[in-house]
């Protein structure tokens, strides 16, 4: 670790995004901003059936899903093709090609490998789920991905727990290694905190770009290589921003001020499809779900939902991405969905009409309209 570089984020290309209008109750119709929807019903055989999607990765040919089996020790990884046909469920167990206590999944597009974080090990599989190798990692982390150029791995930690042997480097949230797992660089220094309050995901990689966020920090960073990190977007909601002394104070004080509901905070939820971005801003009594057109800077969204004929409004609570599409899902509940929708192709609606209550989860891929600036 003696040759490890400490990276400082550049800020020559940073943009400020004003989220203050979304702090108050602001209903909106999700269907009004959607341009196109595609549906992928997943095969409903017993082996393919999912309990709940915890994580999702899509490539041009495959869909990889971390199936939430009520706890990280029971999570399973299920593989489908892009039409939703079942390929394989990687078996549970402690053998080389089996999973025990699976936490994270990632796909290395350059090496064409599926990566699964299994307590103390990274396990590598072919796109169809055939075991290749495993590697025991020397430090603990809460997220992983690969560099955009495929020349290394990026790990995200949240505290010093288990990493005391790394000395002062343990306090950097981002740790970048080469393909042999030698630590090349670190970034995003974070002062230790007693606050116990976690977000969901802090890496976002899509269309060749890699972004990283952190709980209670209002900057979205872009990692371009093992030697460069940029501050790209800063969220402004100063009218109601949680003061930093609560973040770095006592956990009991944080819990009290959070329950009072007078402040907002960003937990790192971010998604990007090239044309649009997604942010989730949280207060104690509501969550603002916000989409931004990157070309015009116009924001759409809110924290209350109007009725919507075109699409179920609960889609936007979970956001993954696949190329130009945001990805969410719904579970068939008996009622035939969106019979009058004009933005879903007839072939997809026909497949949806055959679904019955108890069928497997349906993936929903959607594109957003361009958000035009209002005339001045």
């Amino acid at each position: 670790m003696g040759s490890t570089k400490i990276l400082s984020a550049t800020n020559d290309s940073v943009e400020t995004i004003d989220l203050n209008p979304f702090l108050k109750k602001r209903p909106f119709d999700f269907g009004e901003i959607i341009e196109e929807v595609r549906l992928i019903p997943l095969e409903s055989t017993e082996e393919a059936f999912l309990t709940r999607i915890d994580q999702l990765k899509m490539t041009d040919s495959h869909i990889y899903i971390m199936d939430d089996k009520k706890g990280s020790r029971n999570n399973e990884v299920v593989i489908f093709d892009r039409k939703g046909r079942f390929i394989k469920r990687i078996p549970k167990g402690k053998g080389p090609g089996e999973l025990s206590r699976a936490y994270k999944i990632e796909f290395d597009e350059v090496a064409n490998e599926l990566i699964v974080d299994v307590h103390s090990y990274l396990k590598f599989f072919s796109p169809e789920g055939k075991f290749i190798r495993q590697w025991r990692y020397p430090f603990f982390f809460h997220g992983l991905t690969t560099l955009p150029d495929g020349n290394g791995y990026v790990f995200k930690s949240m505290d010093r727990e288990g990493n005391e042997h790394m000395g002062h480097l343990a306090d950097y949230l981002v740790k970048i290694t080469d393909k042999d797992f030698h630590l090349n660089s670190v970034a995003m220094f974070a002062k230790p905190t007693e606050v116990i309050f976690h977000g969901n995901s802090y890496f976002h990689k899509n269309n060749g770009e890699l972004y990283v966020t952190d709980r209670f920090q209002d900057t979205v960073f872009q990692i371009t290589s093992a030697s460069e990190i940029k501050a790209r977007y800063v969220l402004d909601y100063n009218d109601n921003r949680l003061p930093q002394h609560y973040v770095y104070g006592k956990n009991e004080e944080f819990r009290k001020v959070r329950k009072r509901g007078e402040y907002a905070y960003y937990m790192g939820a971010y998604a990007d499809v090239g044309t649009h971005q997604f942010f989730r801003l949280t207060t104690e009594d509501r969550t603002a779900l916000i989409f931004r057109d990157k070309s015009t800077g116009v924001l759409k969204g809110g924290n209350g939902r109007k009725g919507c004929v075109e699409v179920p409004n609960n889609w936007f609570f979970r956001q993954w991405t696949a190329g130009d599409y945001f990805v969410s899902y719904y579970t068939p509940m008996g009622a035939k969905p969106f019979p009058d929708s004009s933005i879903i192709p007839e072939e997809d609606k026909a497949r949806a009409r055959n679904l019955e209550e108890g069928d497997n989860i349906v993936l929903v891929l959607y594109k957003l309209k361009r958000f035009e600036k209002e005339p001045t």
Side-chain angles (χ1 to χ4, degrees), residues 271-330:
D272 191 313
V273 294
T275 58
H276 294 77
Q277 301 160 291
F278 167 80
F279 307 92
R280 186 165 64 236
L281 189 64
T282 300
T283 65
E284 185 60 18
D285 61 346
R286 66 175 65 100
T287 297
L289 305 164
I290 305 159
F291 296 89
R292 177 178 183 263
D293 186 318
K294 294 175 70 174
S295 63
T296 65
V298 175
L299 303 169
K300 301 282 187 179
N303 43 48
R305 298 183 301 283
K306 299 177 182 179
C308 178
V309 175
E310 292 283 9
V311 294
N313 271 323
N314 60 353
W315 284 358
F316 56 52
F317 276 99
R318 297 303 298 264
Q319 302 294 346
W320 298 281
T321 58
D324 298 333
Y325 290 90
F326 288 102
V327 182
S328 190
Y329 72 91
Y330 78 94

Side-chain angles (χ1 to χ4, degrees), residues 93-109:
K94 296 184 178 180
E98 300 173 330
L99 304 181
S100 174
R101 300 175 67 179
Y103 293 105
K104 299 289 182 182
I105 57 173
E106 183 55 89
F107 195 85
D108 185 337
E109 295 89 349

Side-chain angles (χ1 to χ4, degrees), residues 19-74:
L19 300 187
N20 287 290
F22 296 89
L23 295 174
K24 299 178 181 179
K25 190 172 182 179
R26 186 186 175 110
F28 82 109
D29 186 337
F30 184 45
E32 290 181 349
I33 67 173
I34 294 181
E35 180 176 72
E36 175 191 350
V37 173
R38 300 306 306 260
L39 305 176
I40 305 179
L42 300 178
E43 188 175 316
S44 288
T45 58
E46 182 178 353
E47 194 173 13
F49 199 84
L50 304 174
T51 302
R52 188 182 73 89
I53 298 178
D54 180 67
Q55 298 168 53
L56 180 146
K57 300 290 179 182
M58 296 182 70
T59 68
D60 291 339
S61 56
H62 292 82
I63 302 168
Y64 302 96
I65 292 174
M66 179 79 80
D67 188 11
D68 184 357
K69 294 292 186 179
K70 306 300 181 183
S72 60
R73 295 190 179 194
N74 297 312

Side-chain angles (χ1 to χ4, degrees), residues 326-352:
F326 288 102
V327 182
S328 190
Y329 72 91
Y330 78 94
T331 302
M333 301 299 291
K336 303 304 179 186
F338 29 75
D340 302 321
S341 176
S342 61
I343 57 177
I344 300 177
E346 286 301 321
E347 59 180 309
D348 286 16
K349 286 195 288 187
R351 297 171 74 190

